[in-house]
Amino acid sequence: MTDSNHRSIPALSGDENIPEEHAVEIRRLAHDLSNALEIILQTSYLLSTVELKAPAKDWLEMLDSGVSRALELNLALRTYIKEHTPA
């Protein structure tokens, strides 16, 4: 995933894997990130169930956009980790 504001994760060549000593910590961090994003996602959802006036309504739209992007990036990270770490 690359766009003008984000760097892509560098590709590993062939069957190259993330070294196990790094993979364990990276998987732990990715798991913790997923948990934190779940809190933000649920908060965003709960806020969307109440009637908000401007500018709060606009802020919620910004939050929703950021949540969507963060979830996409987290999925890309977890996929990359899964593809480049031993089972």
Side-chain angles (χ1 to χ4, degrees), residues 35-56:
N35 288 342
L37 287 172
E38 182 65 24
I39 293 167
I40 297 167
L41 177 65
Q42 291 300 322
T43 302
S44 176
Y45 169 75
L46 291 172
L47 283 172
S48 73
T49 65
V50 298
E51 189 173 331
L52 298 174
K53 298 178 183 176

Side-chain angles (χ1 to χ4, degrees), residues 3-86:
D3 63 36
S4 61
N5 296 322
H6 300 92
R7 288 183 258 167
S8 65
I9 300 172
L12 296 174
S13 60
D15 293 330
E16 187 178 0
N17 283 329
I18 299 168
E20 185 61 27
E21 64 272 12
H22 298 296
V24 169
E25 181 65 8
I26 292 169
R27 283 193 299 267
R28 185 190 68 76
L29 290 168
H31 177 79
D32 290 349
L33 175 60
S34 292
N35 288 342
L37 287 172
E38 182 65 24
I39 293 167
I40 297 167
L41 177 65
Q42 291 300 322
T43 302
S44 176
Y45 169 75
L46 291 172
L47 283 172
S48 73
T49 65
V50 298
E51 189 173 331
L52 298 174
K53 298 178 183 176
K57 187 175 182 179
D58 297 331
W59 296 340
L60 179 58
E61 289 175 12
M62 288 173 42
L63 175 63
D64 286 342
S65 175
V67 166
S68 293
R69 182 68 179 139
L71 291 173
E72 290 170 6
L73 290 167
N74 190 52
L75 177 59
L77 176 62
R78 293 178 68 86
T79 300
Y80 183 87
I81 292 166
K82 185 179 280 189
E83 291 173 354
H84 294 91
T85 55

